Amino acid sequence: AAPSPDEHEHPAEGDVLVCAVGGRKGEAVTPADVSLDGPQVFAYAGDADGAHSASDASRLDQLVLLRLDPLSLSEVPALHSAEGIVAYSAICTHEGCDISDWSSESRRLICPCHDSEFDPTDKGQVTEGPARRRLAALPLKLIDGQLVVSGGFTGRIGFRSP
């Protein structure tokens, strides 16, 4: 079937976040699902009506969610967070591996491929490793207890130069 004309790229404003992995895959992420100071939760953005689900999503659409003390966030992440929850692209800006590790001690997202580290409290800036570009952040808001996308990525997702 051809896509309907009202379909859009994800994530987009108004999309809800759904679990990407585990027993709740495809179900809406609630703030209670995201523990303070990690570990991160993997999610995708999808239509509020469930028409676009995690199973349809590209790996490049995967997000990491973290709940951090709002007072620890720099100005921009604080503005883009919902109850201290921040969302970043889960794709490393170096070689495109999944950012699958979290250090609760250093409070950094870590790519296991080449050990690039990113600071989620400071706009996803690179703090270690070969990556040269910060992670793209995704602004969030809370609507009726659900995490909802409130704008487009604040940077380019993926890796290398076009």
Side-chain angles (χ1 to χ4, degrees):
S4 65
D6 61 344
E7 280 193 23
H8 59 265
E9 289 290 311
H10 293 280
E13 188 167 353
D15 282 354
V16 297
L17 298 187
V18 296
C19 295
V21 295
R24 297 199 43 233
K25 182 174 180 175
E27 294 180 28
V29 178
T30 68
D33 295 325
V34 188
S35 303
L36 182 64
D37 292 328
Q40 73 271 47
V41 170
F42 294 91
Y44 286 104
D47 296 325
D49 62 7
H52 178 97
S53 69
S55 59
D56 305 327
S58 158
R59 187 180 78 83
L60 293 176
D61 296 333
Q62 188 165 265
L63 305 167
V64 288
L65 307 178
L66 282 165
R67 182 194 291 264
L68 302 164
D69 178 348
L71 298 177
S72 75
L73 299 174
S74 65
E75 184 178 356
V76 173
L79 288 172
H80 291 164
S81 70
E83 293 190 2
I85 298 171
V86 292
Y88 289 97
S89 168
I91 303 302
C92 184
T93 58
H94 175 234
E95 294 284 356
C97 293
D98 290 345
I99 307 258
S100 57
D101 294 350
W102 166 251
S103 169
S104 54
E105 290 168 19
S106 66
R107 299 164 55 89
R108 299 288 185 264
L109 288 162
I110 303 169
C111 177
C113 291
H114 303 100
D115 296 324
S116 289
E117 296 187 14
F118 303 88
D119 183 354
T121 68
D122 186 24
K123 300 185 285 190
Q125 297 290 0
V126 180
T127 58
E128 290 278 328
R132 293 285 168 254
R133 196 163 37 87
R134 67 183 175 86
L135 294 175
L138 190 67
L140 302 178
K141 59 187 171 185
L142 204 57
I143 298 178
D144 297 329
Q146 286 191 312
L147 291 166
V148 177
V149 177
S150 64
F153 273 113
T154 64
R156 192 161 48 81
I157 61 168
F159 59 102
R160 299 211 181 259
S161 301

